[in-house]
Amino acid sequence: MKIKVINPNTTASMTAKIGLAAAAIAHPNTEILACHPDMGPVSIESHYDEALSVVGILDEIRKGEADGVDGYVIACFGDPGLLAARELAQGPVLGIAEAAMHAASFVATGFSVVTTLGRTRVIAQHLVDAYGMTHFCRRIRAIDLPVLSLEENSDICNAAILQECRAALNEDHCGAIVLGCGGMADLATSISDQLGVPVIDGVSAAVKFVEALVGLGLGTSKTGDLAYPIAKPYSGILSAFRHS
Ligand code: 2AL
């Protein structure tokens, strides 16, 4: 099966890291197509960045449908454009935040999230609420370093993430940690080994869930609100986004 893993920001090093993590966990018969949109922010750490990333994500889904992709992963922890992407896709589309939170809820009665900038905590909190995870999520923590510092200052970042994960275990009464950024996709195994608890990277979790859903013969429901978008004209620079 073909799984397209979309890094919604346009930073190529992050796309490569996400693609490696996805390929490492995927079944040998699964083809991972890692990509990022041609247009959009270099990192996503605000509501504004999220909104502007969505058009590029939808363009990647549109191309994926033409290429016969079986399922998709939106590899940014805000799950930008998730429901709109589902409207365009025949197969399943999973966000890494929803995949990671659901995986955590299967293996622990409580988890804490460790994310990047403090201002993104509210984005994660909205998702916790939307996904019915309020009961499981103990706390959303931030290292207060920008997303691109994961690429540019990885030693400092990795140390800060480990320290925050340790604090979560000591202070939050949680049994698992959810890593709150696609750029942390390479860190879960090593942190889990050091701390002795499940540490969940949403990229890996989402790839395995997409494989399972496709294996079950399940795609996105085309009845109701996730049906294909209504064909209508779109104006200006969005005129190519008409769905036929
Ligand atoms: C993210 C993410 O996963 N990728 C990105 O550019 N921004 N979200 C986050 N909270 O760090």
Side-chain angles (χ1 to χ4, degrees), residues 7 9 14 43-45 75-78 96 115-116 120 147 180-183:
N7 170 23
N9 74 45
M14 199 174 287
S43 63
I44 299 168
E45 43 204 7
C76 170
F77 201 77
I96 62 170
T115 189
T116 51
T120 69
V147 169
C181 181

Side-chain angles (χ1 to χ4, degrees), residues 8-47:
N9 74 45
T10 59
T11 296
S13 61
M14 199 174 287
T15 306
K17 188 198 295 182
I18 286 167
L20 279 176
I25 200 79
H27 188 276
N29 292 342
T30 299
E31 187 184 353
I32 296 292
L33 308 165
C35 69
H36 57 257
D38 305 332
M39 57 180 160
V42 293
S43 63
I44 299 168
E45 43 204 7
S46 66
H47 305 295

Side-chain angles (χ1 to χ4, degrees), residues 169 174-177 188 191-199:
L169 287 183
C174 63
I177 307 282
I191 300 175
S192 180
D193 289 347
Q194 290 175 80
L195 300 184
V197 295
V199 176

Side-chain angles (χ1 to χ4, degrees), residues 18-204:
I18 286 167
L20 279 176
I25 200 79
H27 188 276
N29 292 342
T30 299
E31 187 184 353
I32 296 292
L33 308 165
C35 69
H36 57 257
D38 305 332
M39 57 180 160
V42 293
S43 63
I44 299 168
E45 43 204 7
S46 66
H47 305 295
Y48 183 80
D49 291 341
E50 279 207 347
L52 288 178
S53 73
V54 171
V55 174
I57 295 168
L58 296 178
D59 200 34
E60 291 303 325
I61 303 272
R62 180 189 61 75
K63 289 188 267 178
E65 290 301 281
D67 294 342
V69 167
D70 296 292
Y72 301 85
V73 173
I74 298 181
C76 170
F77 201 77
D79 296 352
L82 181 60
L83 292 176
R86 284 185 179 147
E87 286 185 50
L88 283 184
Q90 189 179 338
V93 185
L94 267 63
I96 62 170
E98 70 169 353
M101 289 181 202
H102 282 90
S105 76
F106 294 149
V107 296
T109 53
F111 63 81
S112 285
V113 176
V114 173
T115 189
T116 51
L117 281 186
R119 71 180 285 171
T120 69
R121 291 170 66 244
V122 73
I123 295 175
Q125 185 61 54
H126 287 163
L127 296 182
V128 165
D129 297 339
Y131 299 151
M133 289 287 154
T134 315
H135 183 70
F136 291 95
C137 184
R138 298 281 171 270
R139 187 162 161 182
I140 300 167
R141 292 172 168 268
I143 56 170
D144 245 331
L145 291 169
V147 169
L148 290 188
S149 64
L150 288 161
E151 307 306 295
E152 291 153 5
N153 299 301
S154 59
D155 289 352
I156 292 170
C157 259
N158 295 356
I161 293 163
L162 181 62
Q163 184 181 324
E164 207 57 39
C165 290
R166 231 187 261 288
L169 287 183
N170 290 334
E171 297 167 19
D172 301 351
H173 304 288
C174 63
I177 307 282
V178 165
L179 296 178
C181 181
M184 299 176 184
D186 55 336
L187 301 179
T189 307
S190 116
I191 300 175
S192 180
D193 289 347
Q194 290 175 80
L195 300 184
V197 295
V199 176
I200 295 143
D201 151 48
V203 175
S204 306

